[in-house]
Amino acid sequence: MRREMGSVRNAALAFIVPWPSILFYIVFLKLYEPSTSEIWRWCSAHPIALVNALFFFNVNVLFWVISLLQNNTWLIDLYWTVLPVMMAHYYSSHPYSQTNLWRSRIVIILTWVWSIRLTHNYFRREEWQWGAREDWRFADMRKKYPNNWWWMSFFAVYVSQQIFLVGVCLPIYAVHNSQHPWTALDYFATLVCTVGIVFAYFADTQLYNFVQKKKLLRELGAPTKPNLEEGLWAFSRHPNYFGEQLWWWGLVIYAWNVGQGWTFLGAAVNTCCLAWVTVLVERKMVAEQYRTKEYKKYQETTSVWIPWFKLKPQIKKNLKKT
């Protein structure tokens, strides 16, 4: 009962927290005129700076205060799936927005599909509870730095997320900052984004089904497999990460096509971060004694991200030597 009440409370909280930014932007759109106050002129002339300011106050500061009160950073995990959609609509509706209608519509639709997929996976993994637990990496850091985590979390959890989220969404800004006509490269970008979303969905679904089956077998006292090595996971140790990267780099192709190639920086930073996360995940897997031997064998025969055919352990060792 207490868990259910906590979930309801967190659900209400999740719906309330973005409203300061939403209301500010609604007022801005309603009252916007080129000759209005200096702050309105600044908001209209600096869309990226404005989204960073709203992120800082409404996410970094507000989410951080809430995390201190709840002793849990769960909100940022949920909003990782929501904020890109909000930014897509922000950039598309900004007074200075200029865009190709089809490119804008397709990117917004794809962003919604990506968000629905990731949000569904989040709640499915959390057993449809709101804020039941926080990311294991942040939980580990909380234990590692018990006396300083209250202030460290502001930078490690929230400021860092601003860099990643605003950065990876820069191509969405580029799409809404150019009227460049639709070309064959846009079709390619659409294909890459779609494949990334579909690939990540099937990878996450296969992982979810494996975990659920494992739980059931343990309850029955039956033997279980230590690692998932079937389906997409037979060709990549992290196919869900691969699909996610395809999605973000697909957006970069849109931006490149409209002459805003510099926006690749956000996707590049995100890829570097995910590479480090991959290292942390694999260290955790190897550290679990019941699967250490099997996972090391899995590492020797299976590609890290990019799906590829299985290698025999000896062949992979020879390749490393050369």
Side-chain angles (χ1 to χ4, degrees):
M1 185 65 177
R2 181 181 295 179
R3 184 183 181 187
E4 292 177 357
M5 289 299 296
S7 181
V8 171
R9 182 182 64 249
N10 287 338
L13 181 65
F15 281 104
I16 292 171
V17 287
W19 277 100
S21 290
I22 293 172
L23 291 175
F24 176 90
Y25 192 60
I26 290 173
V27 171
F28 166 64
L29 292 178
K30 293 288 185 182
L31 301 181
Y32 168 75
E33 292 180 11
S35 59
T36 53
S37 68
E38 187 64 32
I39 187 171
W40 275 175
R41 285 196 292 270
W42 183 88
C43 290
S44 63
H46 302 89
I48 296 178
L50 176 57
V51 83
N52 273 284
L54 293 176
F55 197 110
F56 180 82
F57 290 108
N58 200 163
V59 178
N60 291 1
V61 176
L62 181 59
F63 282 30
W64 175 63
V65 171
I66 292 172
S67 74
L68 294 180
L69 295 174
Q70 290 193 321
N71 203 34
N72 193 324
T73 60
W74 71 275
L75 257 180
I76 196 63
D77 292 333
L78 173 62
Y79 267 89
W80 177 272
T81 74
V82 177
L83 285 167
V85 171
M86 297 178 69
M87 280 189 261
H89 286 286
Y90 161 79
Y91 286 131
S92 67
S93 61
H94 193 276
Y96 280 12
S97 172
Q98 49 181 330
T99 186
N100 174 278
L101 183 60
W102 278 108
R103 184 181 296 113
S104 173
R105 284 178 174 175
I106 289 174
V107 166
I108 289 174
I109 290 171
L110 285 172
T111 306
W112 268 100
V113 174
W114 168 86
S115 176
I116 292 169
R117 179 206 74 78
L118 198 58
T119 304
H120 170 261
N121 186 61
Y122 169 82
F123 280 111
R124 177 173 61 178
R125 186 185 68 228
E126 299 301 313
E127 299 179 346
W128 308 100
Q129 296 292 314
W130 297 73
R133 57 182 177 176
E134 65 181 344
D135 189 293
W136 63 269
R137 291 160 293 183
F138 300 146
D140 286 350
M141 293 177 73
R142 184 188 299 278
K143 293 176 183 177
K144 189 175 182 180
Y145 308 104
N147 297 325
N148 297 316
W149 181 242
W150 71 271
W151 66 265
M152 290 175 62
S153 61
F154 179 75
F155 300 96
V157 179
Y158 301 104
V159 174
S160 63
Q161 301 283 3
Q162 179 171 352
I163 296 170
F164 297 139
L165 270 170
V166 177
V168 293
C169 289
L170 286 174
I172 301 177
Y173 160 77
V175 164
H176 295 96
N177 192 42
S178 172
Q179 293 179 328
H180 185 74
W182 181 275
T183 69
L185 200 55
D186 289 298
Y187 285 110
F188 179 63
T190 304
L191 176 64
V192 172
C193 287
T194 303
V195 170
I197 293 170
V198 173
F199 202 92
Y201 169 77
F202 281 106
D204 280 333
T205 298
Q206 289 170 2
L207 178 60
Y208 174 79
N209 290 338
F210 173 78
V211 171
Q212 293 304 113
K213 183 179 179 180
K214 197 172 182 178
K215 287 181 180 178
L216 179 60
L217 290 174
R218 281 179 174 173
E219 290 174 1
L220 296 173
T224 62
K225 293 182 180 179
N227 306 305
L228 172 57
E229 299 183 40
E230 300 171 354
L232 297 176
W233 299 78
F235 305 97
S236 168
R237 302 203 299 272
H238 303 278
N240 50 347
Y241 293 174
F242 174 71
E244 188 72 2
Q245 290 306 297
L246 276 184
W247 154 252
W248 292 117
W249 283 98
L251 290 180
V252 171
I253 298 172
Y254 284 115
W256 190 278
N257 192 35
V258 300
Q260 304 270 2
W262 63 273
T263 59
F264 86 94
L265 291 171
V269 170
N270 187 54
T271 297
C272 291
C273 175
L274 198 55
W276 175 240
V277 169
T278 301
V279 172
L280 295 179
V281 169
E282 299 221 331
R283 284 179 181 173
K284 183 180 180 183
M285 301 288 274
V286 172
E288 295 174 341
Q289 293 184 357
Y290 77 96
R291 74 163 106 221
T292 300
K293 183 178 179 180
E294 290 298 321
Y295 199 81
K296 285 183 177 180
K297 187 187 297 183
Y298 183 47
Q299 287 176 313
E300 292 177 354
T301 59
T302 311
S303 171
V304 181
W305 276 2
I306 301 174
W308 197 246
F309 299 104
K310 285 280 189 180
L311 288 175
K312 292 183 179 180
Q314 193 58 44
I315 293 177
K316 191 160 185 179
K317 287 178 181 178
N318 293 337
L319 287 174
K320 286 181 178 180
K321 290 179 181 178
T322 57

